[in-house]
Amino acid sequence: MKSIVQTIRGGMASALWLMGAPFVTTWATFTAQTRESTCALVSAHFRRFLRRCRIDVKIDGTPPPKGTGAIVCYNESSFADVAAFGMIMWDYVDRVAAADLYAFLPFGRSLARKAQIEMVPRGNRNGTDELIDRIVGKVQGGDRMAWGGEGHLVGIDGVGHFKRGACIIAIRAQVPIVPVTYYGGHKAMPFPTVRARPGTIHVRFGTPISTVGLTEDDARDLADKVQAIVSQTYEDMRIEAGDA
């Protein structure tokens, strides 16, 4: 009976999020004047989703300070992790990489421009290379860029394989890469189900990893290092939460 109630709760929250998303993108396009006001609308929409699911979000660690270029590289196992990111991360990053499927929302690209969300073109190598070149210039100028390490929702109680994208940008720009670990999303809403269990998603900023002196030949090793750190932190957070 409990699982049925939780599935109904999560299903209703998901349906309301999907139905509300076009209104948010449209409202932001015609009313938001700044990045801050645009991001506030996005944050509020995700906050409503998490509140309906009875999921809290807590953050710790030291985010990279504003004006110091960095790549923030994180894991995602559940849509609840995406929602937690969408609710809290805007104060800690200046730009965000997101799948270009969000562009299919009405005025999705308009909202992305205002919120400084970079749409990653799937299956378009030239477009991705142009995007990376543009981001390198931005982080060299002091922007903090958020980039998902796995590139998709992995749907496991753990950390998936990290791709090289975030590390290539960090190495080209010679800025640090900051590992960030999300824990609790899989337990609260295991992907691809919509079952929503009451719980807490914990977000932890790790110690920045220097890329000074590294070349693109080191990108794979660096990605493996970031993945290992996030994986270990995930397990540490599991113990802290009493889930081990």
Side-chain angles (χ1 to χ4, degrees):
M1 184 64 181
K2 181 185 292 187
S3 64
I4 294 174
V5 171
Q6 292 171 346
T7 300
I8 293 172
R9 178 192 302 143
M12 290 182 63
S14 300
L16 289 169
W17 186 90
L18 286 170
M19 289 188 293
F23 293 97
V24 173
T25 55
T26 302
W27 186 254
T29 295
F30 292 103
T31 66
Q33 300 300 313
T34 64
R35 177 183 184 265
E36 289 72 22
S37 58
T38 303
C39 293
L41 289 171
V42 175
S43 177
H45 190 49
F46 280 115
R47 183 179 292 107
R48 288 188 291 270
F49 169 80
L50 290 169
R51 185 174 63 244
R52 291 172 181 135
C53 291
R54 302 183 186 179
I55 299 172
D56 297 322
V57 182
K58 294 184 178 179
I59 185 169
D60 63 55
T62 304
K66 191 173 181 62
T68 57
I71 301 298
V72 174
C73 189
Y74 57 95
N75 65 298
E76 294 175 305
S77 64
S78 163
F79 183 73
D81 292 327
V82 175
F85 182 103
M87 187 180 90
I88 67 167
M89 288 295 286
W90 307 106
D91 289 339
Y92 310 117
V93 298
D94 304 293
R95 293 180 179 273
V96 175
D100 58 357
L101 63 88
Y102 291 104
F104 290 101
L105 290 169
F107 302 106
R109 291 194 183 277
S110 175
L111 180 143
R113 285 192 295 270
K114 288 189 174 186
Q116 295 184 10
I117 299 172
E118 303 285 358
M119 297 290 189
V120 181
R122 301 281 184 174
N124 181 347
R125 181 60 183 269
N126 290 335
T128 301
D129 288 342
E130 291 174 4
L131 171 64
I132 289 176
D133 289 342
R134 183 169 69 250
I135 293 172
V136 166
K138 295 296 183 181
V139 297
Q140 286 176 329
D143 279 3
R144 300 160 297 176
M145 178 75 196
W147 191 284
E150 297 138 326
H152 60 93
L153 298 181
V154 295
I156 61 173
D157 185 13
V159 177
H161 175 71
F162 272 31
K163 299 180 180 179
R164 298 185 306 147
C167 296
I168 287 174
I169 296 170
I171 289 170
R172 286 186 186 177
Q174 289 291 278
V175 299
I177 186 163
V178 181
V180 176
T181 307
Y182 280 71
Y183 175 80
H186 178 81
K187 183 177 179 182
M189 180 176 273
F191 182 77
T193 75
V194 294
R195 181 178 179 180
R197 300 182 178 95
T200 301
I201 295 175
H202 297 270
V203 183
R204 179 167 297 170
F205 283 86
T207 303
I209 303 169
S210 174
T211 62
V212 174
L214 298 183
T215 69
E216 287 191 36
D217 289 339
D218 300 308
R220 180 66 264 158
D221 288 342
L222 180 58
D224 291 342
K225 180 178 181 179
V226 177
Q227 179 186 331
I229 291 172
V230 173
S231 295
Q232 183 59 59
T233 304
Y234 190 98
E235 294 306 318
D236 292 344
M237 295 166 79
R238 186 200 302 277
I239 294 171
E240 293 168 12
D243 296 331

